[in-house]
Amino acid sequence: MPFVAMAQKESQMFSFYDESSKFSRSVSMALRSNILVESLDQIEFRVNSLREQAGTLEQEKVTLLEMIKQIKETIATQNISEGEREELTLLTDQLMIRTDAVHIGLGTVRSEQQEESLRQVTALLEDLSQELIEGGRTGKAQLESYLNACLSHGDERHADEKFQALVISCALEDQKIIRKRLESMVRHS
């Protein structure tokens, strides 16, 4: 039985009509309100679960795209025939397009300051990703300092304080995504 119908049935069970009054009054207003609140609590739990699943899928997409980029860069440096290189490059391009075509609509409400902080963090992460692909020595150290900045139990001596300030200025959901992205970069570097 739908929640609203159940609340209406409960309301009818406890309603009465006061002869001296012009109004019919329901004793179950609080009961009906409680049923609706419980229904909304259940829906909120499901919405949070849905958002968490969408966030996990979005992170999986980011991870896959990073892996494909790294493989594509590796193909360029491998000692393989030109025909094999073209075939592998074509396959990675197709995978990139197919992966990028997956759209997960998980919106996060952000203030202007949070938007700007996220933009700056994203630019720093893109630069770091490029540095890691190129194999620079500073990339891995920078990755570690960024990750330490995001972890409550990280090594504060090796945490990038400017990056940490930017991440803290981001929305809470974005902070989690940034940390997960950095952890993924560590696994794949």
Side-chain angles (χ1 to χ4, degrees), residues 19 37 80 107 113 146:
E19 296 288 333
V37 167
I80 55 177
Q113 179 188 4
Y146 283 2

Side-chain angles (χ1 to χ4, degrees), residues 12 25 28 47 87 96 98 109 148 168:
Q12 291 169 354
R25 190 168 179 169
S28 70
V47 166
E87 184 178 340
M96 185 77 78
R98 288 177 53 204
V109 179
N148 283 331
I168 290 171

Side-chain angles (χ1 to χ4, degrees), residues 91-110:
L91 181 58
T92 56
D93 288 345
Q94 289 172 346
L95 283 172
M96 185 77 78
I97 290 168
R98 288 177 53 204
T99 305
D100 208 29
V102 175
H103 297 283
I104 298 138
L106 179 62
T108 301
V109 179
R110 298 179 186 96

Side-chain angles (χ1 to χ4, degrees), residues 10-111:
E10 293 288 336
S11 166
Q12 291 169 354
M13 288 175 28
F14 294 105
S15 66
F16 66 93
Y17 183 77
D18 183 355
E19 296 288 333
S20 63
S21 172
K22 295 180 181 178
F23 301 103
S24 173
R25 190 168 179 169
S26 171
V27 176
S28 70
M29 288 175 82
L31 178 62
R32 188 173 5 157
S33 178
N34 284 340
I35 290 170
L36 292 173
V37 167
E38 287 175 15
S39 299
L40 290 172
D41 286 345
Q42 291 172 3
I43 292 169
E44 180 182 22
F45 176 78
R46 291 178 64 189
V47 166
N48 288 339
S49 176
L50 178 65
R51 290 182 61 83
E52 190 175 300
Q53 291 171 10
T56 300
L57 289 173
E58 181 65 32
Q59 184 57 43
E60 177 69 7
K61 175 183 174 181
V62 169
T63 300
L64 289 170
L65 287 171
E66 286 177 5
M67 290 170 63
I68 294 167
K69 275 186 196 177
Q70 289 176 351
I71 290 171
K72 189 171 182 176
E73 292 294 324
T74 303
I75 290 169
T77 63
Q78 295 298 307
N79 188 15
I80 55 177
S81 72
E82 193 59 36
E84 288 175 320
R85 187 180 325 280
E86 286 179 30
E87 184 178 340
L88 291 170
T89 301
L90 181 63
L91 181 58
T92 56
D93 288 345
Q94 289 172 346
L95 283 172
M96 185 77 78
I97 290 168
R98 288 177 53 204
T99 305
D100 208 29
V102 175
H103 297 283
I104 298 138
L106 179 62
T108 301
V109 179
R110 298 179 186 96
S111 67

Side-chain angles (χ1 to χ4, degrees), residues 51-63 66 104-110 118 121-122 125 143 146-147 150-151 163 167 170-185 187:
R51 290 182 61 83
E52 190 175 300
Q53 291 171 10
T56 300
L57 289 173
E58 181 65 32
Q59 184 57 43
E60 177 69 7
K61 175 183 174 181
V62 169
T63 300
E66 286 177 5
I104 298 138
L106 179 62
T108 301
V109 179
R110 298 179 186 96
L118 180 60
V121 167
T122 301
L125 291 178
L143 175 58
Y146 283 2
L147 184 57
C150 293
L151 299 174
F163 185 78
V167 171
C170 292
L172 184 59
E173 289 177 19
D174 293 327
Q175 292 175 25
K176 292 176 185 176
I177 291 168
I178 292 164
R179 187 190 78 243
K180 287 179 183 177
R181 181 172 179 192
L182 287 166
E183 289 169 346
S184 173
M185 291 170 80
R187 283 191 305 272

